[in-house]
Each structure stands twice: as structure tokens, then as C-alpha cells.
Amino acid sequence: MSYDDYRDGKPLIVTAALTGGVHGKEANPNVPETPAEVAEAAAAAEDAGASILHLHAREDSGERAFSTERFQELTEAVRAATDDVVIQHSTGGTAAPDALRAEPLRTDPAPDMASLDMGPLNRYDHLTSENTRALVDALHEEMQARGIKPELEVFNGGHLNESLRIWDELDEPPYVNLVFGGGTTTIPSPRNLLNMVANVPDGAEFNVLAFGPHQLPLTTMGILLGGHVRVGLEDNLYYAKGEQAESNAQLVERTVRIAEELGRPVASTAEARKILNL
């Protein structure tokens, strides 16, 4: 993946992260929480140009849920509301007991993809995740057994190093999600994005995820560098400074518009599946 890929018109995969597992309507009333709300947001994001939907489940209270049953209910609602999007479940461990981390992998049918955190994460005062090698390996083994493609969550350069431990076990092409923000994620700057992209091994596809005000500039850079991008209310509650985003679709629409202005086509779901070898 490189600037040459952008120049050659390689299709851009857009992921929409619809709700997350930390903030809710108290932070932005447009954050979807119930299966019905997430399904409605999913359909709108698909119509706007997203081909992958990154999903977190919630309890009735709005708190994050980890059980297979909750993910099953959510996924069925999303599949019923959409045409053929790629379903990606979160196994992210912020405040999640390790014993429950594989639950999102056990729906029927299995999700097309799932996130796989590649090392420790600390973003909040009381929420942290160790993501030990033993846990990473166990989650990866379950993904392999169920035919689920992992998205390698690379929060910093050390996590890219960690991903090399399992590189030979990954189906081609490996999919690497480069994360920029606070805590133990990579410091968000254009230079750091260029450095991280330069270190992604040949043959991999990479995605750019940046939190808050860094989402727009760094995902735009990702488009120009031949990578793929993730946007949505999980990562960014605002459309502009002081202006809360109205919906996930609004953020997807802007990304699609920028890509088209830059001359890069946006991947259909069929094209995304082909690029990722799903």
C-alpha cells in the first residue's frame, strides 16, 4: 500500500464504527445504543458508502455487553437492515474480563471479521487492558477455527512488532489497523502516520483510525497513502469544532466525498471482500 496505489485508483474501504463501548448518549444523543438504533445507523452508513461495520453490543442500560447472546441479537438486527456489509465484531478488552473476550466470535453465523488487540491499552483513568500474548494467541486461534479474519489493532509501534509473532499464520492479506490518539495509542501527527505506514510489512493492507479532531486530517492522509479508513461515532463525536455529529452516516458521507474529490474510488462491499480475501 502506497501513494502509487492511490494514484492507480485502488478502491478505498470505509469502515463505520457505529457506537463503541465507552461513551453513549450522555456524550452525544445521536450515538446509537439499542439493536434497533444500531441497525438503523448501519443501514444509513452502508447507503453512505461504508462496506465494513465495526460492532459493539450494549446492555439495556446502555453499558457495554460482552455476551454471545447480545452480539447475536445485534448482528441479526444489522443483517436484516443491510444488504451485504462486512460484519466486524469487537473483541476489544477495555474493562472486559478476559474470560468473555471470545464471546463476540461465537455468533451463528460467525462475523466476517473481528478486532484483535495486539498489546496493552490504557486510554482512560479506570479502564485498561493487558492483552497478554496468551490471550491474543487464544483469540487468534478461535478466529482461525471459525474462519474469521482478524483486524490487527496496532495502538503503537510496539504492537506492530507484536503482530509479527503471528504474521505467518495470517491469511493474505493481513489487515492492520493503525490507531492514533491519546493514552498508549500512537501520538497523532502526520509524521507519525507516515512512519507507521512505512513500517507496515509488504503485502499487508492498512487502515487508519484517529480519535476526535484527528479523525478528519489523518484519514484524509490515509486516503492519499493508499490505505483504508475508519470513521464513526465510536471514534469521534463531532463533525467540526463545537458541532456534534448528527450521525455515523454524516461522517461516512464526508469521507466518501473527500475520496471522490481526490479521485479515489470507494470500494463496494464486493470489492472490499475481494481486497481482503474474505
Side-chain angles (χ1 to χ4, degrees):
M1 300 297 291
S2 67
Y3 181 65
D4 289 338
D5 289 314
Y6 156 69
R7 293 281 292 167
D8 291 340
K10 183 167 188 173
L12 169 74
I13 299 172
V14 178
T15 297
L18 302 175
T19 184
V22 178
H23 53 251
K25 294 184 184 299
E26 79 290 343
N28 182 326
N30 300 312
V31 173
E33 293 183 349
T34 67
E37 289 174 339
V38 174
E40 182 179 2
E46 181 187 35
D47 288 344
S51 52
I52 299 177
L53 299 179
H54 178 76
L55 301 180
H56 289 255
R58 301 272 188 143
E59 301 288 356
D60 291 340
S61 63
E63 296 295 318
R64 185 175 176 189
F66 305 101
S67 69
T68 300
E69 291 74 20
R70 282 287 178 174
F71 271 89
Q72 185 76 41
E73 178 186 16
L74 174 65
T75 302
E76 288 177 357
V78 169
R79 289 191 187 278
T82 56
D83 291 329
D84 185 36
V85 290
V86 174
I87 299 295
Q88 182 188 94
H89 286 178
S90 171
T91 67
T94 310
D98 286 357
L100 300 179
R101 293 283 293 279
E103 290 286 305
L105 305 177
R106 296 168 181 167
T107 57
D108 184 20
D112 303 287
M113 301 179 70
S115 61
L116 181 61
D117 294 355
M118 296 310 301
L121 172 63
N122 184 6
R123 286 182 58 211
Y124 304 97
D125 290 343
H126 304 291
L127 300 178
T128 189
S129 180
E130 288 185 306
N131 294 318
T132 62
R133 285 180 172 178
L135 178 61
V136 171
D137 291 347
L139 290 172
H140 182 220
E141 287 173 8
E142 184 139 0
M143 290 181 195
Q144 286 182 306
R146 302 213 68 203
I148 301 167
K149 187 178 187 74
E151 177 184 88
L152 307 183
E153 306 302 322
V154 172
F155 301 119
N156 55 54
H159 294 173
L160 193 55
N161 257 352
E162 282 294 290
S163 73
L164 300 180
R165 295 190 310 105
I166 62 172
W167 204 257
D168 291 340
E169 301 171 15
L170 299 170
D171 292 335
E172 294 292 334
Y175 196 55
V176 178
N177 188 25
L178 304 176
V179 184
F180 300 83
T184 48
T185 64
T186 303
I187 295 172
S189 74
R191 182 181 297 277
N192 284 340
L193 174 55
L194 290 170
N195 288 339
M196 289 295 289
V197 170
N199 286 320
V200 173
D202 291 341
E205 298 284 344
F206 75 88
N207 182 78
V208 177
L209 183 170
F211 294 115
H214 306 288
Q215 183 175 89
L216 178 59
L218 294 191
T219 55
T220 301
M221 281 188 64
I223 293 171
L224 292 170
L225 293 173
H228 308 290
V229 298
R230 173 174 134 174
V231 296
L233 291 174
E234 174 176 353
D235 306 329
N236 177 27
L237 295 167
Y238 289 84
Y239 188 75
K241 186 174 182 179
E243 178 187 345
Q244 287 192 324
E246 297 175 359
S247 65
N248 286 283
Q250 183 188 34
L251 297 171
V252 173
E253 287 166 357
R254 177 169 63 182
T255 297
V256 169
R257 185 171 64 251
I258 290 171
E260 291 174 343
E261 289 285 350
L262 292 171
R264 186 160 179 204
V266 175
S268 66
T269 300
E271 289 172 322
R273 291 183 183 279
K274 183 176 180 180
I275 291 168
L276 298 179
N277 194 26
L278 294 177

